[in-house]
Amino acid sequence: YQQDDREVIRAGRILETIEENLAPDGEKMYVHVVKTPILDAKGRALGTQCIFWDITAQKRFEQQLQRKNDELALNEAALRKANEDLKSAQFQLIQAEKMTAMGHMAGALAHEIRNPLTVIVGYVNDLLEGRPAEDPVVKPLSAVRRSAERCLELMENLLRFSRRPQDNEVF
């Protein structure tokens, strides 16, 4: 502080600062200091006048406020991340619900297509029954039956896919 006094006298200007000191109990204390030069009639500095205020409580409050602001920023970041995670989970749930709806729709569609295909295969089998291999309708009817049976197999696969798996079922 004596160096500050000498600087105020030398420069002839006011010095305002906040000093950090140690109290006798070892705690930090803060002092707002204003030092003004005392001038003689000719404007020469003779000494200093010093006024100071203990602002330790204010500084501690500011530090506490800063810690709370830092804590708040961390909490805000965590909250933003939790919100993003929630949005992601919600999106995944919507996608899963869409897939479930698609499974139901695929199952219903497979049932609707399987029934007429079964009728087609049955009638083709009736038409082919007892016909000799050289009959000109055997080859095209056999092709119709193979195609219908292939479609039936696809519908069965679609139905298996659309069903809920059982506990002991493995994909």
Side-chain angles (χ1 to χ4, degrees), residues 21-33:
N21 299 305
L22 286 179
D25 63 0
E27 288 281 324
K28 281 186 186 177
M29 65 180 291
Y30 300 90
V31 180
H32 183 169
V33 177

Side-chain angles (χ1 to χ4, degrees), residues 35-50:
K35 294 184 178 189
T36 310
I38 299 174
L39 305 175
D40 64 11
K42 294 183 181 178
R44 292 182 299 221
L46 301 173
T48 61
Q49 173 181 321
C50 180

Side-chain angles (χ1 to χ4, degrees), residues 7-108:
E7 181 59 25
V8 168
I9 291 169
R10 187 195 64 72
R13 285 192 299 252
I14 296 173
L15 171 75
E16 186 170 356
T17 187
I18 295 177
E19 293 178 358
E20 184 179 304
N21 299 305
L22 286 179
D25 63 0
E27 288 281 324
K28 281 186 186 177
M29 65 180 291
Y30 300 90
V31 180
H32 183 169
V33 177
V34 177
K35 294 184 178 189
T36 310
I38 299 174
L39 305 175
D40 64 11
K42 294 183 181 178
R44 292 182 299 221
L46 301 173
T48 61
Q49 173 181 321
C50 180
I51 301 172
F52 63 93
W53 301 268
D54 183 351
I55 58 167
T56 303
Q58 176 186 339
K59 274 296 202 181
R60 286 188 181 145
F61 178 76
E62 287 171 1
Q63 291 168 347
Q64 183 182 16
L65 184 61
Q66 184 60 50
R67 280 193 303 274
K68 293 295 181 182
N69 281 337
D70 293 345
E71 197 176 301
L72 185 60
L74 286 174
N75 289 339
E76 180 185 15
L79 187 58
R80 285 185 192 280
K81 170 137 181 30
N83 189 35
E84 289 302 316
D85 291 348
L86 184 59
K87 283 181 182 179
S88 176
Q90 183 181 24
F91 176 76
Q92 290 173 0
L93 182 60
I94 289 169
Q95 292 304 106
E97 288 174 359
K98 284 181 183 179
M99 289 302 293
T100 300
M102 288 293 291
H104 290 301
M105 189 171 71

Side-chain angles (χ1 to χ4, degrees), residues 3 13 77 105 120 126 147:
Q3 182 178 343
R13 285 192 299 252
M105 189 171 71
I120 291 169
D126 288 347
S147 293

